[in-house]
Amino acid sequence: MRAAVLRGPGRVTVDQVPDPKIEQPTDAVVRVVASGICGTDLRGYLGRPGPVRGPRCGHEFIGVVANVGSSVRSIRPGELVVAPFMFSDGECHRCVHGAQSSCARGGMFGVAAGGAQAEGVRVPFADGTLVPVPFDEYDERIPAVLTLADVMATGQHAVHTGGRPAPETMAVVGDGQVGLCAVLAASRLGIERIFLLGHHEDRLRIGQKFGATDLVSLRGAESRAQVIDATGGAGAGLVVEAVGEQDALDTALAICVDGGVVSVVGGPHGILDSTACSLRNITVRSGPVPVRAYLPALLGEVIAGKLDPSAVFDRTLKLADVGHGYQAMVDRNATKVLITL
């Protein structure tokens, strides 16, 4: 079996690796139809801190079930399935209460299980992880469904109000794949005014298509001033931080209205000022999204034609060329790369 293997900063190769096999009765083996390159993958590729350190690559995939363990009940061979970027047992207290990304026996594909940028993947806890997709592997909706494995579910999680009324104004810091999906999720929620802060014209155009009403391409203090001025000095009721670096975290806090919410989904690698949050009554939400909790509803909307986030994929490459996909994203020549066999 061929799979993408991280060989150190700036180098990904496609090598022959052992075929995935059933190791536990709860496992399934999935033949990969399509996988994606995520911003988290790029951190490993660039040698930066983060969960992805190699050698296995990728945590987003959709594929066809090739084999299942003796105790698997919810899926069967030949069925198309989509996987969250983290596997989970579906039985523990955390999973039952919708926190599958915190499952004590779970983990991330490409880190605690096989990488998704491959011809096949062994899936631990198949019943608690995989979601059947009711069409075949040649359907034109494959890219849209693939986004649900991570970035669209993360965007949905970022704007989840948790019982609070949806704000009238929201800002998204970062025009990458997660930021764009957060814009789409906010538009679907009915938020009236959506600021998108970014620096890439092609991505800002996608954001506008997804529902962004105000595009902010300035940087640093100037971008913050533009949002504050446009909101009458108040700021946005909800700010999604979709980058994770210090300047983005500072910007998110600066443009949030007092009493508002900052949703940190960019995999933070900086520090958010907790004193400022406390003094300004700002609620902070953060953590890896429990994709499995969102998947059934989001998949239903893709099937019904009500949701199509596939525009975040702006380049498709074969597995053999996966290294070019990583570099294209590093060079900002692609927003998100779709990998096929």
Side-chain angles (χ1 to χ4, degrees):
M1 183 189 79
R2 297 179 304 155
V5 178
L6 185 64
R7 293 300 187 194
R11 185 170 175 233
V12 171
T13 61
V14 177
D15 295 351
Q16 291 290 327
V17 300
D19 288 345
K21 300 182 183 301
I22 300 292
E23 295 182 359
Q24 301 292 333
T26 54
D27 290 351
V29 172
V30 175
R31 173 176 59 82
V32 176
V33 170
S35 60
I37 301 178
C38 179
T40 307
D41 296 326
L42 299 187
R43 296 195 66 85
Y45 179 74
L46 294 171
R48 294 176 179 173
V52 178
R53 300 180 181 179
R56 297 166 291 191
C57 293
H59 52 264
E60 305 170 349
F61 69 97
I62 183 170
V64 175
V65 178
N67 196 7
V68 298
S70 59
S71 69
V72 175
R73 296 290 179 264
S74 64
I75 60 170
R76 61 186 186 276
E79 196 167 31
L80 187 69
V81 290
V82 60
F85 70 89
M86 298 185 76
F87 60 88
S88 54
D89 64 21
E91 301 175 344
C92 68
H93 181 274
R94 298 170 186 175
C95 287
V96 170
H97 289 82
Q100 292 94 332
S101 56
S102 295
C103 177
R105 295 197 290 171
M108 187 175 180
F109 289 102
V111 178
Q117 293 158 17
E119 293 178 327
V121 181
R122 182 181 67 85
V123 179
F125 305 115
D127 283 328
T129 302
L130 297 173
V131 175
V133 180
F135 44 78
D136 65 33
E137 62 185 283
Y138 306 104
D139 196 282
E140 63 183 6
R141 292 167 290 183
I142 291 291
V145 175
L146 182 56
T147 68
L148 310 184
D150 187 348
V151 293
M152 185 62 220
T154 301
Q156 185 76 16
H157 186 63
V159 304
H160 180 61
T161 59
R164 299 174 58 148
E168 294 181 358
T169 303
M170 187 188 95
V172 177
V173 181
D175 58 4
Q177 48 200 271
V178 170
L180 294 174
C181 286
V183 168
L184 180 57
S187 178
R188 285 160 26 87
L189 192 62
I191 295 177
E192 297 176 6
R193 195 170 189 187
I194 305 169
F195 291 85
L196 175 59
L197 285 68
H199 314 304
H200 307 93
E201 290 186 8
D202 52 344
R203 299 183 183 187
L204 292 174
R205 283 194 294 270
I206 296 172
Q208 198 166 36
K209 175 184 176 182
F210 280 178
T213 58
D214 296 73
L215 305 179
V216 179
S217 58
L218 299 173
R219 296 177 182 268
E222 291 182 316
S223 68
R224 301 167 195 174
Q226 184 174 339
V227 176
I228 295 298
D229 290 346
T231 55
L238 169 63
V239 181
V240 174
E241 193 287 303
V243 179
E245 303 298 341
Q246 190 62 55
D247 183 65
L249 289 162
D250 293 342
T251 295
L253 187 57
I255 63 177
C256 185
V257 68
D258 284 22
V261 176
V262 173
S263 184
V264 181
V265 292
H269 302 283
I271 298 172
L272 197 64
D273 188 341
S274 60
T275 300
C277 292
S278 177
L279 293 174
R280 296 175 56 202
N281 284 306
I282 290 176
T283 299
V284 178
R285 295 203 307 263
S286 185
V289 55
V291 172
R292 187 61 180 78
Y294 289 98
L295 252 179
L298 291 174
L299 178 60
E301 295 204 29
V302 171
I303 293 168
K306 298 178 180 179
L307 173 64
D308 183 8
S310 61
V312 296
F313 287 110
D314 52 3
R315 183 170 299 190
T316 299
L317 294 173
K318 295 293 186 180
L319 178 62
D321 298 318
V322 67
H324 297 301
Y326 274 77
Q327 195 58 48
M329 289 176 61
V330 167
D331 294 338
R332 299 295 191 268
N333 292 324
T335 302
K336 187 171 183 64
V337 175
L338 177 73
I339 301 297
T340 65
L341 296 185

